[in-house]
Amino acid sequence: MAFNKEKFIKYILTVFALSSLFFLFLIFAFILIEGLPLFLKVGFKNIIFGFKWAPTKGSFGIFPMIVSSFLVTFGALIVGGPLGLSCAVYLAEYSGKRMKMLLKPALELLAGIPSVVYGFLGVIYIVPLVRNYLGGSGFSLISTSVILGVMILPTIISISFDAIMSVPRTYREGSLAMGATKWQTIYKVVIPSARSGIMAGFILGMGRAIGETMAVIMIAGNALKIPTSLLDPLRTLTGNIALELAYATGDHRLGLFSTGVVLLVIIMALNYIANFGIKKKRLK
Amino acid sequence: MDVKIRLENLKASYNEQEVLKGITIDVYKNMITGFMGPSGSGKSTIISILNRMMEFEDGIRIEGKILFDGFDLTKTISSVELRKRVGTVFAVPIPLPRSIYENIAYGPRLNRINDREKLDQIVINSLKNAFLWDEVKDRLNTSALKLSGGQQQRLCLARTLALHPEIILLDEPCSGLDPISTAKIEDALSELKKDYTIILVSNNTKQIARISDYSAFFYMGELIEYGNTEDLFTNPRIKKTDDYISGKFG
């Protein structure tokens, strides 16, 4: 009797666990079914490398948005990467217990702030700051990068922190015993040993940045062109879907699903690199 | 015989629990001094006090004097400087995840030795002195993690030698090694004592008897007996020592 109950629980849990896989499959199927027909009709090249987005007139080029999405993502990484890594190193190597107890919940809170709040703060503070001191409208690549850079901090910090903490204590001792200072030990031994984990943190941070929508719509300016300077407005893939879905019909609607397909592929690729590409390297 | 290290009434406690209860001992220059005793006897604590690795532990308190060549360096020399003079080989040999060459060049590079020829010379000499050269001379650029356990431990010895310390501390260096690897380390140490002062911590009383010149027996944070290895092993003055070296407890 007890044995059967055990089996039953295991069975139920398996079903629940697999359901998440099922949802993922549903999302995939849904987006592909809706998004692929337009690719076949208009052609991959005309969508992915097309410069003109005029969905009501039969032009579905999303190349500027792909470029823009990558630009804000790298911008976010430039802002958030060094900041996040420094914070992770401080937390793992320098901070005392008390500081750790203060910083870790603060970071979790940072991760929990809704993105609309980030966008709001961006509009109120960052955008005017950029407009007044750097020029342009303020709704720009640089404003978006700064806000996204802050938004991806928790991801980068927590994953880099775990990677640094998992470097064996004996590596540190070996280095210190050879007369290395703490900082020498960190940058010659600890960070190189944790490199794959830190890279994974950066890439997952990129995934978060490229998928972010609300904050981006609010501060990016959403112009339909490839930005030529840090002060130019831009529109990302996510922004495109969110802005137009409400009123899109027919091929226009399908065009937005095609945007979704491209976004999905990019995010899958990033996750794949973070999970498998890097881990494999670590095993060598 | 010159005294290299003198401990005077050295006391240490972890979180109020006393682990060293007043150790006084002279360690002689160019000798191998064996520290033995069951676990909890305090011998490893002495090592981490000598190389100041204990400063990374929380809640440790130390009293007493530690003299190197008659000088108390506690206030005059930074821990980083001190560790260049007092090298350590740990129980578990963990090379850095780099090539064999870079593992040994690591210490000299920290001291701003970047000249390739000089580095080559240091690497070659250190490997030879650690009795490892013949086994690795054709693959200096392969990862040190690919070496066997015994080879890794000799690599750790070699990288310590590359710093030209005055004192080498070995904290149970052969505890995880097979007899052949152990013999190679022992051979290397017997050669090295010409140039270095060596302290060998070991649970293996036979190893202490084989290669150390002086032996110290610690028990529960106290130095029970200390003297010439031959005398101590053939004619221990204290019964506890006799019981330990004859294997009645351990």
Side-chain angles (χ1 to χ4, degrees):
Chain A
M1 195 56 194
F3 178 72
N4 278 344
K5 195 179 164 194
E6 287 293 313
K7 241 186 169 175
F8 176 72
I9 287 172
K10 185 185 162 192
Y11 186 72
I12 292 285
L13 288 175
T14 309
V15 169
F16 282 135
L18 289 181
S19 67
S20 63
L21 208 65
F22 175 69
F23 290 133
L24 185 70
F25 172 78
L26 268 190
I27 291 170
F28 260 82
F30 182 62
I31 291 183
L32 287 178
I33 289 168
E34 297 270 359
L36 277 184
L38 193 75
F39 275 109
L40 300 175
K41 188 170 151 194
V42 187
F44 277 87
K45 212 183 115 202
N46 289 333
I47 292 181
I48 292 174
F49 295 110
F51 276 81
K52 196 172 174 207
W53 173 261
T56 47
K57 291 171 192 141
S59 301
F60 299 94
I62 58 169
F63 187 65
M65 300 169 207
I66 295 176
V67 172
S68 299
S69 275
F70 275 107
L71 282 176
V72 289
T73 302
F74 282 114
L77 205 58
I78 289 168
V79 175
L83 210 60
L85 182 58
S86 313
C87 187
V89 168
Y90 173 76
L91 265 178
E93 302 286 337
Y94 288 97
S95 76
K97 270 195 190 123
R98 246 199 236 155
M99 199 62 183
K100 225 175 261 179
M101 293 218 305
L102 181 77
L103 272 173
K104 286 220 108 185
L107 284 168
E108 278 154 27
L109 204 62
L110 197 66
I113 293 174
S115 61
V116 68
V117 175
Y118 282 101
F120 186 55
L121 291 175
V123 172
I124 302 290
Y125 295 106
I126 309 282
V127 168
L129 215 65
V130 171
R131 180 167 52 224
N132 295 340
Y133 290 96
L134 299 173
S137 68
F139 294 95
S140 59
L141 173 55
I142 191 167
S143 315
T144 316
S145 299
V146 169
I147 287 290
L148 281 180
V150 175
M151 290 180 76
I152 65 173
L153 276 181
T155 310
I156 292 182
I157 293 170
S158 69
I159 296 175
S160 308
F161 174 79
D162 289 344
I164 292 170
M165 290 301 276
S166 70
V167 173
R169 188 190 150 96
T170 41
Y171 284 5
R172 295 183 178 84
E173 281 177 351
S175 169
L176 291 166
M178 280 188 278
T181 62
K182 189 165 185 169
W183 173 240
Q184 284 170 327
T185 300
I186 289 169
Y187 90 93
K188 287 194 167 193
V189 176
V190 177
I191 291 179
S193 305
R195 190 174 49 206
S196 58
I198 292 169
M199 288 302 287
F202 280 16
I203 289 168
L204 290 176
M206 282 171 74
R208 172 125 166 69
I210 213 165
E212 177 49 43
T213 313
M214 182 48 87
V216 171
I217 309 177
M218 293 169 77
I219 40 187
N222 305 316
L224 279 168
K225 62 181 184 94
I226 297 177
T228 51
S229 93
L230 282 174
L231 302 175
D232 278 357
L234 45 76
R235 180 188 290 200
T236 62
L237 293 164
T238 50
N240 192 43
I241 299 174
L243 287 165
E244 299 189 2
L245 194 61
Y247 61 87
T249 52
D251 277 0
H252 184 184
R253 187 165 163 276
L254 293 183
L256 296 180
F257 273 104
S258 306
T259 314
V261 172
V262 173
L263 193 61
L264 201 65
V265 169
I266 293 173
I267 287 177
M268 268 171 52
L270 286 178
N271 268 306
Y272 178 80
I273 296 168
N275 284 327
F276 298 102
I278 286 171
K279 260 183 209 149
K280 218 180 244 168
K281 218 171 135 199
R282 192 186 303 180
L283 287 178
K284 261 181 210 167
Chain B
M1 269 182 319
D2 296 333
V3 175
K4 186 70 190 174
I5 306 168
R6 168 170 288 167
L7 303 181
E8 277 179 30
N9 201 19
L10 183 68
K11 291 180 184 170
S13 54
Y14 274 109
N15 302 319
E16 310 296 315
Q17 197 194 342
E18 210 169 27
V19 288
L20 290 181
K21 299 169 183 168
I23 305 284
T24 300
I25 189 171
D26 284 344
V27 175
Y28 300 108
K29 198 174 173 181
N30 294 70
M31 296 283 171
I32 298 178
T33 304
F35 282 10
M36 57 187 174
S39 59
S41 59
K43 53 198 195 313
S44 291
T45 307
I46 298 180
I47 296 295
S48 64
I49 288 173
L50 288 176
N51 62 19
R52 293 198 203 160
M53 293 297 275
M54 86 292 170
E55 68 190 26
F56 300 106
E57 310 276 349
D58 291 329
I60 188 166
R61 263 192 53 214
I62 296 160
E63 282 171 60
K65 270 199 174 134
I66 309 147
L67 304 173
F68 291 96
D69 299 313
F71 295 103
D72 186 346
L73 304 180
T74 318
K75 299 244 160 64
T76 50
I77 279 190
S78 75
S79 302
V80 170
E81 282 306 311
L82 180 101
R83 289 189 201 113
K84 287 171 184 164
R85 292 164 64 168
V86 182
T88 311
V89 175
F90 296 97
V92 185
I94 307 261
L96 302 174
R98 301 166 171 230
S99 71
I100 295 170
Y101 186 98
E102 284 304 322
N103 258 278
I104 296 169
Y106 182 79
R109 279 192 208 276
L110 292 176
N111 295 329
R112 306 229 154 71
I113 298 174
N114 284 314
D115 181 63
R116 191 73 193 187
E117 252 172 59
K118 235 185 208 167
L119 277 178
D120 284 350
Q121 209 50 53
I122 292 173
V123 170
I124 293 169
N125 286 338
S126 307
L127 284 171
K128 279 184 177 162
N129 289 334
F131 284 39
L132 186 59
W133 172 249
D134 288 334
E135 292 163 52
V136 300
K137 62 184 174 193
D138 301 321
R139 47 176 175 148
L140 292 178
N141 291 319
T142 55
S143 167
L145 300 174
K146 288 196 177 123
L147 296 173
S148 72
Q151 290 170 329
Q152 290 191 355
Q153 190 57 294
R154 275 175 284 149
L155 181 76
C156 290
L157 178 60
R159 73 181 185 188
T160 304
L161 297 178
L163 293 161
H164 295 297
E166 297 161 26
I167 298 160
I168 303 175
L169 311 172
L170 299 109
D171 192 356
E172 306 198 27
C174 302
S175 55
L177 302 186
D178 60 275
I180 294 169
S181 305
T182 303
K184 282 179 180 159
I185 299 231
E186 290 177 3
D187 289 346
L189 294 180
S190 302
E191 282 294 314
L192 288 168
K193 70 177 180 186
K194 286 180 205 146
D195 302 310
Y196 302 92
T197 302
I198 297 172
I199 294 180
L200 171 66
V201 170
S202 181
N203 262 324
N204 182 345
T205 47
K206 287 190 188 113
Q207 179 174 50
I208 302 270
R210 268 197 306 270
I211 64 165
S212 67
D213 302 293
Y214 281 79
S215 301
F217 171 57
F218 294 91
Y219 186 69
M220 304 278 278
E222 283 176 272
L223 176 59
I224 305 295
E225 191 165 350
Y226 177 51
N228 180 297
T229 297
E230 216 182 302
D231 294 347
L232 189 134
F233 273 86
T234 52
N235 220 343
R237 279 169 288 134
I238 293 168
K239 183 156 184 307
K240 197 108 211 162
T241 315
D242 192 21
D243 288 350
Y244 183 72
I245 57 183
S246 58
K248 283 193 183 136
F249 76 100

